Amino acid sequence: YQRGYVRNIPGAPMCGCLEKMPIVSRSDCTQTNVEESYKFTKSVSSTGFTGKIQYATLEFQACQGANNNNNDLAAYYQRLVNEGRIEAAQQEVFKTYIVGNNQCQNTIDAFLEARGYKAGIALDEASWTYVMGEGDLARPDEQIYDGLKVTTMFN
């Protein structure tokens, strides 16, 4: 909460699995430190044990990332790879969601291009008929007010 992160990004959970998150350039990382103490007693009249929690503490702190780069989920993931706790292939999947600084637009453009979308088009005005426009798009001398003529264009 120290940095003001108290709400989710619209359309995305505040906390959840990576593959359910939107593409971002970087993400903070918080780890939990849990300390618990239990007391187990054995009763002479039964075969099992009885357990009781003596105390439990829970603290939050920044994740410890690779190269002393803390509070950074990408650095934490790199540390896991360095320690052999996850495979490099898993890290490659991770990098499709946490894409690095200043890489969001490139990632979005590649995503759209892979699906056949193109940014901007070269408008061939000869293949279009201007009908009506408002504001900056208004061309009063070219507007078509004849409804019959407009209807015949679509038949």
Side-chain angles (χ1 to χ4, degrees), residues 89-121:
Q90 291 171 290
Q91 186 180 33
E92 291 306 312
V93 172
F94 170 89
K95 288 179 180 179
T96 63
Y97 295 94
I98 312 290
V99 297
N101 289 335
N102 303 315
Q103 293 303 313
C104 280
Q105 193 59 54
N106 294 338
T107 304
I108 291 168
D109 292 345
F111 175 86
L112 293 174
E113 185 178 324
R115 285 155 183 80
Y117 295 100
K118 295 181 181 178
I121 59 168

Side-chain angles (χ1 to χ4, degrees), residues 16-117:
C17 297
L18 183 68
E19 63 273 7
K20 302 295 182 194
M21 296 294 182
I23 294 170
V24 295
S25 56
R26 95 173 276 292
S27 177
D28 282 357
C29 180
T30 301
Q31 69 184 41
T32 55
N33 300 326
V34 180
E35 189 176 324
E36 301 171 316
S37 176
Y38 300 90
K39 181 179 180 180
F40 293 95
T41 54
K42 170 97 170 99
S43 172
V44 290
S45 62
S46 68
T47 58
F49 289 89
T50 302
K52 185 176 180 181
I53 296 176
Q54 296 291 85
Y55 69 89
T57 61
L58 177 64
E59 295 177 351
F60 298 95
Q61 76 175 53
C63 289
Q64 308 303 300
N67 303 318
N68 206 26
N69 190 4
N70 300 331
N71 196 36
D72 185 325
L73 187 57
Y76 178 72
Y77 233 73
Q78 183 61 54
R79 185 182 124 206
L80 296 178
V81 171
N82 295 349
E83 294 173 356
R85 294 168 60 191
I86 62 169
E87 302 292 323
Q90 291 171 290
Q91 186 180 33
E92 291 306 312
V93 172
F94 170 89
K95 288 179 180 179
T96 63
Y97 295 94
I98 312 290
V99 297
N101 289 335
N102 303 315
Q103 293 303 313
C104 280
Q105 193 59 54
N106 294 338
T107 304
I108 291 168
D109 292 345
F111 175 86
L112 293 174
E113 185 178 324
R115 285 155 183 80
Y117 295 100

